[in-house]
Amino acid sequence: MRTTVGIIGAGPAGLLLARLLHNAGIDSVVLESRDRAYVEHRQRAGILEQGTVDVLRAAGAGERMDREGLRHDGIELRFDRRRHRVDFPALTGGRSVMVYAQTEVCKDLIALQLDEGGPLLFEAEALAVEGAEGDRPSIRFRHEGREDVLECDYVVGCDGFWGVARKAVPASLSRVFERTYPFGWLGILADVAPSHDELVYARHDRGFALLSMRSPSVSRLYLQVPADTDAGAWSDEEIWDELERRLETDDDWALHRGPITQKSVTPMRSYVHEPMRHGRLFLAGDAAHIVPPTGAKGLNLAVGDVVTFARALVHEKETGSAELLDAYSETCLRRVWQAERFSYDMTTMLHRDPDATAFEGRLQLARLDRIGSCRAAETDLAESYTGFPIG
């Protein structure tokens, strides 16, 4: 089997890349180790930056998103029982974000790929990337009980932190930057209308809380918990009680309770692998970087990566110049590090570190006060949250 671009992973990054290449007349093959049902139902990110929304629309994958997604023009910060709304369009020249779950993005892109695009092989496990240093890299994979080889001009690893793509970069060339946080998020899905029409980020002495949503009738909420927490150890009533404490305000706002349908604990980690390119192997998304979810950047960073690669490959096709491909890692990393900075700032401003002193707690409140009283500080948050330029 042979193609121009071999794509490992059918998450949103790999699927979007296949769509962008198809629209540009460049053939690709997508290999995904899981089955279709798993890909279409794994719960991940739900906030799309303005740039991601624009890319999906331009790629022909925005129809259902525009019909069913929830446009949000701001977020609310809560601290000291106070509420402060950050107005995105007023601070960014009209930008906003969209609440539309990663599962739905994947469903839309899978349908398009199977209907119009190149091969998308589910239950095709990539075993190794070989020959990345040469002109003809390949992906060795297992599908339908036998091993096969996909020969490519380029390989793009969209296979996450545990995938094989990054392992093909020699250790002697790799630089890793990471931080593991001593807490995680206990997340729930609940069959109840959201208690607020925008996301609420709450800093509380007992720990962080986030009020989010998946639809007008399904709420997504999170509590900061110790990193080793067992989600099953929390009863539904305990979760609602704790959310109520951490989200409390001095006005008459009330938390809506309902049946909890899912509980899980998400670890918190910052990670960057440099470089994001080795020869004809290009890393994208979680294969190259991970951010704590506080800044809602993970999926959006992956989109930026594959848009950057697709533009570079189209440029080479049209001009014969590999200049943009050669600059891929540097170009992506500029955006990655800004997202890492923003995600770190949001995480450390809103979460209670178990080893923090009272001094550090007061600094958190001072940072939040600054955002609430200084338009420049508020604008920086709004611009960062709605998305950094791609490319």
Side-chain angles (χ1 to χ4, degrees):
M1 185 182 293
R2 172 155 185 81
T3 190
T4 301
V5 182
I7 302 171
I8 309 175
L15 292 166
L16 176 59
L17 177 57
R19 180 67 183 175
L20 295 173
L21 295 176
H22 169 78
N23 289 347
I26 300 171
D27 60 295
S28 69
V29 173
V30 183
L31 305 176
E32 168 55 48
S33 63
R34 303 283 193 161
D35 61 28
R36 180 176 179 178
Y38 180 90
V39 174
E40 292 187 338
H41 291 91
R42 55 186 166 193
Q43 291 292 331
R44 292 291 189 273
I47 306 296
L48 308 183
E49 295 174 354
Q50 181 69 66
T52 297
V53 170
D54 294 342
V55 166
L56 289 170
R57 287 173 179 157
E63 181 181 352
R64 193 164 70 93
M65 173 190 70
D66 284 329
R67 186 173 66 249
E68 300 178 11
L70 306 174
R71 172 181 163 137
H72 280 204
D73 287 335
I75 58 172
E76 183 173 288
L77 301 175
R78 292 191 185 179
F79 53 101
D80 261 3
R81 302 175 65 94
R82 290 180 281 157
R83 305 168 66 173
H84 176 76
R85 181 176 184 267
V86 179
D87 185 331
F88 292 157
L91 295 162
T92 65
R95 299 212 306 264
S96 62
V97 297
M98 182 81 75
V99 175
Y100 191 63
Q102 174 175 312
T103 52
E104 306 310 312
V105 173
C106 286
K107 289 174 186 176
D108 297 342
L109 290 169
I110 286 171
L112 285 170
Q113 183 72 7
L114 294 177
D115 185 46
E116 303 174 6
L120 166 54
L121 305 183
F122 291 104
E123 299 181 87
E125 179 188 6
L127 303 175
V129 176
E130 298 172 339
E133 300 89 347
D135 293 335
R136 294 295 176 91
S138 63
I139 306 168
R140 188 161 46 84
F141 67 100
R142 182 182 295 111
H143 184 236
E144 296 180 341
R146 63 183 180 85
E147 284 196 17
D148 204 342
V149 174
L150 175 62
E151 298 178 343
C152 325
D153 292 332
Y154 304 94
V155 175
V156 182
C158 305
D159 51 344
F161 181 77
W162 301 106
V164 302
R166 191 179 65 254
K167 298 173 184 174
V169 181
S172 60
L173 302 178
S174 298
R175 299 184 302 277
V176 170
F177 307 86
E178 60 185 326
R179 172 167 181 166
T180 301
Y181 298 86
F183 43 76
W185 279 9
L186 171 60
I188 65 167
L189 278 175
D191 286 335
V192 61
S195 304
H196 194 59
D197 56 1
E198 293 178 333
L199 272 68
V200 177
Y201 288 78
R203 184 268 178 202
H204 194 277
D205 288 342
R206 296 176 63 90
F208 169 77
L210 172 61
L211 186 160
S212 182
M213 67 249 356
R214 282 294 178 263
S215 74
S217 60
V218 177
S219 292
R220 183 74 159 153
L221 301 106
Y222 299 92
L223 285 170
Q224 177 188 344
V225 294
D228 59 354
T229 295
D230 174 9
W234 284 69
S235 70
D236 292 6
E237 184 176 6
E238 287 173 328
I239 291 172
W240 287 119
D241 287 348
E242 190 62 24
L243 283 165
E244 202 162 69
R245 290 187 195 100
R246 298 188 192 183
L247 291 163
E248 63 188 354
T249 62
D250 280 334
D251 57 19
D252 59 357
W253 179 87
L255 178 67
H256 302 157
R257 300 188 180 208
I260 295 176
T261 59
Q262 185 185 103
K263 302 176 189 175
S264 62
V265 173
T266 301
M268 305 285 280
R269 188 180 184 198
S270 299
Y271 174 92
V272 179
H273 179 280
E274 296 184 2
M276 290 177 56
R277 177 197 179 182
H278 174 59
R280 288 182 173 245
L281 166 65
F282 297 77
L283 304 180
D286 286 359
H289 42 73
I290 295 171
V291 289
T294 326
K297 291 295 166 208
L299 167 60
N300 297 290
L301 274 183
V303 168
D305 294 343
V306 298
V307 169
T308 299
F309 175 80
R311 287 176 179 171
L313 193 57
V314 170
H315 179 75
E316 184 191 48
K317 177 184 176 184
E318 293 177 346
T319 69
S321 170
E323 178 184 6
L324 297 185
L325 284 171
D326 291 341
Y328 171 81
S329 183
E330 181 182 354
T331 301
C332 290
L333 284 169
R334 281 197 299 270
R335 189 167 185 265
V336 166
W337 277 112
Q338 285 301 317
E340 292 283 355
R341 185 270 307 169
F342 175 67
S343 299
Y344 174 83
D345 286 349
M346 289 284 283
T347 300
T348 56
M349 180 173 66
L350 293 165
H351 290 74
R352 182 184 179 276
D353 190 309
D355 298 321
T357 64
F359 177 83
E360 290 164 313
R362 292 302 292 268
L363 284 180
Q364 288 181 314
L365 294 174
R367 291 164 69 187
L368 288 160
D369 272 329
R370 179 69 173 168
I371 292 168
S373 61
C374 173
R375 187 176 178 87
E378 190 179 24
T379 299
D380 182 60
L381 188 153
E383 290 180 343
S384 299
Y385 197 99
T386 55
F388 304 104
I390 297 175

